[in-house]
Amino acid sequence: MSISSVFIANRGEIAVRINHACRKLGLRTVQAASAADLDSLAARLADAVVEVGPPPAAKSYLDVERMVAAAREAGCDAVHPGYGFLAENADFADAVVAAGMRFIGPSGDAIRLLGDKVAAREVAARAGVPVVPGSDGRIDDVARATALAAEIGFPVMIKAAAGGGGRGIRIAHDASEFARFFPQASGEARAAFGDGGLYVEKVIERARHVEVQILGDGERFVHCYERECSLQRRRQKVWEEAPAFELDQTVRQALCDSAVALAASVGYRGAGTVEYLYDAASREFYFIEVNTRIQVEHPVTEMITGVDLVEQMIRIAGGEPLALGQDDVRIHGHAIECRINAEDPARNFMPGPGTIETLSVPQGAHVRFDSLLYEGYTVPPFYDSLLGKLIVHGADRADCLDKLRHALDGLEVVGVPTTVPLHRALAVDADVRQGRIDTRFLEPWLEQHFKPSNSTPGAAS
Amino acid sequence: MSTQQVVSPLPGTFYRRPSPESPPFKEDGDAVAVGDVIGLVEVMKNFQEVVAEVAGSAIRFVIEDSDAIMAGQLIAEIDP
């Protein structure tokens, strides 16, 4: 492999994870650290640390020039961007390569193409991946729009073409509502954005979020099956599983094959994720977007397939051909990941930085804890609240849930508020255990079980 | 009345404007009324408003936009 020294252009638990992967491959690591992260676990583990600026991310981890210069000066020949920060910044990927280093991820052009929602939808459609049925761009004529809505099937969503932030969105359940809402939505869009252009899209009512892990070396492409990430709060994933539950084998095959077809159509290099909405009632899936980076929830895939995804992406960036064939990737059992955030679920998820007084981590062959924590560490207030992830593997989903319950009982983080009580309540919830969940499950559930006024949060379940 | 100090209620990142493209909540020298928002503190991607608890004829900031801040650190002084 043509990589010997990796600059880790990220922080937190993923920086720790990348450090371990590099160590396994015998590579030297140089950790980027803001002034607030010099005592982080990642900085302690790395062979060398480079201070990349003051605490605010805009002045450190998000500063392209500074990060590239730091990597070069540290003598690194590759840069791992992690997730978030500059991980999907095409200009950063280009700048790393222009400076003579390998970017551990796809090319800047691939990031640019797949990061553009409209372009990515076109790529998906061309590769034969189902996209949410809709007007494929703006549609201004009411009669044509009404005919299209009838063809797609109600309910449909009417969205502002220039939009964002939910302005100008209407959901029409039948043709008469559609005829009434279309002009209203147009007027609202014109007032909000100076452009009354609209587009129309089918509403997937009880959607689950499933996503397929892909790996490619530019010539060969495999999937590592799918993850289920339907438990979300404010569009943030809270708990993830692999594989998706109660997914028919033919549906799974079609879903995973479609992700591979998409990857192949753009000559993808690296690890990526193709996200879908899945409608369990109709067993249809629809493309949402491609994430051109390692994801937070990658460990559940590693637990069921045995593939080390971070290692694979480093090897690919180092010029090695993908050593895995599709037949080498198999599903063994079930895995669940709980995101442990420094947030208080009983106080509307108010974040709370602070010093870790006690840390007890559950042990066992079926348990993995990826985190940035150590006793005495002060969690800084400047970054997101993810402290770590508890990942549990079981023979099947029921076994996994049982093991998860025990693992959560054995996890103790004292000094900051955490979302552990939320996960304890979810792990014993009847609907969660039965798999009766979709992307709209968690928020009303929280209203019921973790209302701020509730003096004994989680006790109801 | 003497000059009043405004300190940060939380540790985090201090912002003088509601978004990078917006003008600041208050310029140095602006008058301040009770309840006026003078800045935001971002704690783990969660934004909390900093509100003036006293009125004054002129405000003077002692830290810059998007500086790191500790709980109890001085943000601004308000002249009576």
Side-chain angles (χ1 to χ4, degrees):
Chain A
M1 187 168 46
S2 61
I3 292 175
S4 61
S5 176
V6 176
F7 186 77
I8 302 173
N10 211 299
R11 65 174 305 283
E13 66 87 20
I14 195 64
V16 173
R17 170 74 184 90
I18 296 164
N19 231 297
H20 288 312
C22 291
R23 198 53 51 90
K24 183 175 162 190
L25 290 165
L27 308 178
R28 172 177 172 258
T29 55
V30 178
Q31 179 62 50
S34 76
D37 279 339
L38 295 171
D39 62 346
S40 67
L41 182 56
R44 290 183 167 200
L45 291 171
D47 293 310
V49 179
V50 180
E51 188 171 337
V52 291
K59 297 174 182 173
S60 50
Y61 299 108
L62 288 169
D63 185 332
V64 171
E65 275 180 40
R66 193 159 195 167
M67 293 294 263
V68 173
R72 277 197 64 168
E73 282 159 27
C76 293
D77 48 20
V79 174
H80 199 305
Y83 54 67
F85 295 126
L86 298 173
E88 288 172 282
N89 183 313
D91 295 339
F92 180 60
D94 287 343
V96 166
V97 172
M101 298 175 286
R102 307 274 183 143
F103 181 75
I104 303 174
S107 68
D109 286 343
I111 296 172
R112 220 168 264 121
L113 174 69
L114 296 171
D116 178 312
K117 288 237 177 196
V118 176
R121 183 183 153 102
E122 282 167 12
V123 168
R126 266 203 308 277
V129 183
V131 295
V132 179
S135 56
D136 280 322
R138 55 191 292 157
I139 184 160
D140 296 330
D141 179 69
V142 187
R144 267 188 51 225
T146 311
L148 179 75
E151 190 188 312
I152 294 169
F154 291 100
V156 300
M157 197 184 299
I158 307 166
K159 283 179 172 174
R167 301 287 287 277
I169 291 184
R170 293 280 191 292
I171 291 174
H173 293 87
D174 54 46
S176 80
E177 271 192 356
F178 189 85
R180 211 163 70 241
F181 290 165
F182 196 84
Q184 286 176 11
S186 184
E188 197 173 307
R190 192 173 302 112
F193 311 112
D195 175 358
L198 300 174
Y199 68 93
V200 174
E201 204 173 86
K202 183 177 176 66
V203 176
I204 315 298
E205 285 194 285
R206 305 199 63 80
R208 282 160 49 183
H209 176 115
V210 297
E211 58 185 34
V212 177
Q213 177 69 51
I214 51 170
L215 286 171
D217 63 7
E219 285 165 19
R220 297 179 57 221
F221 313 91
V222 300
H223 65 78
C224 297
Y225 292 99
E226 81 285 351
R227 296 184 284 263
E228 165 94 37
C229 315
S230 297
L231 286 173
Q232 301 184 4
R233 175 179 173 271
R234 297 187 177 170
R235 308 183 72 85
Q236 296 293 308
K237 295 163 188 167
V238 167
W239 153 311
E240 302 97 342
E241 309 192 16
F245 39 82
E246 287 166 30
L247 198 62
D248 189 273
Q249 198 51 42
T250 49
V251 175
R252 169 169 294 125
Q253 195 64 51
L255 176 81
C256 294
D257 286 350
S258 81
V260 171
L262 193 160
S265 79
V266 295
Y268 197 82
R269 289 186 80 241
T273 296
V274 186
E275 296 194 332
Y276 300 85
L277 288 175
Y278 176 60
D279 180 357
S282 68
R283 305 204 308 173
E284 302 281 352
F285 55 86
Y286 305 100
F287 172 80
I288 309 173
E289 64 181 5
V290 182
N291 296 320
T292 55
R293 54 171 157 80
I294 193 72
Q295 303 221 168
V296 176
E297 62 272 25
H298 75 275
V300 287
T301 299
E302 296 183 328
M303 290 291 254
I304 62 159
T305 62
V307 176
D308 184 328
L309 293 167
V310 181
E311 176 188 335
Q312 289 297 325
M313 66 194 295
I314 296 170
R315 288 184 181 280
I316 292 164
E320 287 187 11
L322 191 59
L324 290 167
Q326 191 61 66
D327 289 344
D328 299 325
V329 186
R330 295 185 186 279
I331 299 177
H332 301 282
H334 195 91
I336 299 176
E337 169 182 285
C338 297
R339 295 195 188 192
I340 312 301
N341 293 342
E343 295 172 356
D344 187 348
R347 292 177 62 215
N348 200 26
F349 293 85
M350 176 75 83
T355 300
I356 306 302
E357 292 157 22
T358 309
L359 174 66
S360 306
V361 178
Q363 305 295 321
H366 55 275
V367 179
R368 170 170 163 184
F369 188 58
D370 283 20
S371 95
L372 54 73
L373 297 171
Y374 61 84
E375 280 186 4
Y377 177 59
T378 297
V379 180
F382 309 107
Y383 312 104
D384 80 28
S385 58
L386 184 68
L387 298 174
K389 302 151 352 192
L390 179 66
I391 309 109
V392 174
H393 184 257
D396 53 32
R397 189 165 185 266
D399 179 49
C400 189
L401 281 161
D402 289 341
K403 289 195 167 109
L404 175 63
R405 215 176 63 228
H406 289 119
L408 283 164
D409 284 344
L411 177 62
E412 193 187 16
V413 183
V414 179
V416 294
T418 75
T419 49
V420 170
L422 164 66
H423 291 298
R424 287 188 181 141
L426 283 171
V428 297
D429 182 82
D431 287 327
V432 172
R433 293 190 74 90
Q434 295 300 314
R436 288 191 297 259
I437 57 173
D438 57 48
T439 54
R440 294 196 205 157
F441 171 83
L442 186 58
E443 290 188 10
W445 184 94
L446 286 167
E447 278 293 306
Q448 201 185 333
H449 297 265
F450 279 89
K451 265 227 246 345
S453 59
N454 193 337
S455 58
T456 50
S461 62
Chain B
M1 242 172 60
S2 61
T3 296
Q4 297 285 322
Q5 299 197 324
V6 183
V7 299
S8 181
L10 298 157
T13 307
F14 181 73
Y15 296 100
R16 285 188 57 183
R17 36 189 101 230
S19 70
E21 303 79 36
S22 309
F25 291 106
K26 293 287 177 187
E27 300 280 7
D28 273 1
D30 279 358
V32 175
V34 173
D36 280 0
V37 177
I38 66 157
L40 300 171
V41 177
E42 179 189 357
V43 188
M44 294 177 153
K45 297 189 169 174
N46 207 292
F47 291 84
Q48 309 277 328
E49 290 182 340
V50 180
V51 173
E53 287 168 359
V54 295
S57 60
I59 188 167
R60 217 172 29 256
F61 286 88
V62 300
I63 69 168
E64 298 296 317
D65 186 55
S66 71
D67 270 357
I69 194 166
M70 301 308 294
Q73 188 179 336
L74 185 62
I75 291 173
E77 293 177 328
I78 299 176
D79 291 334

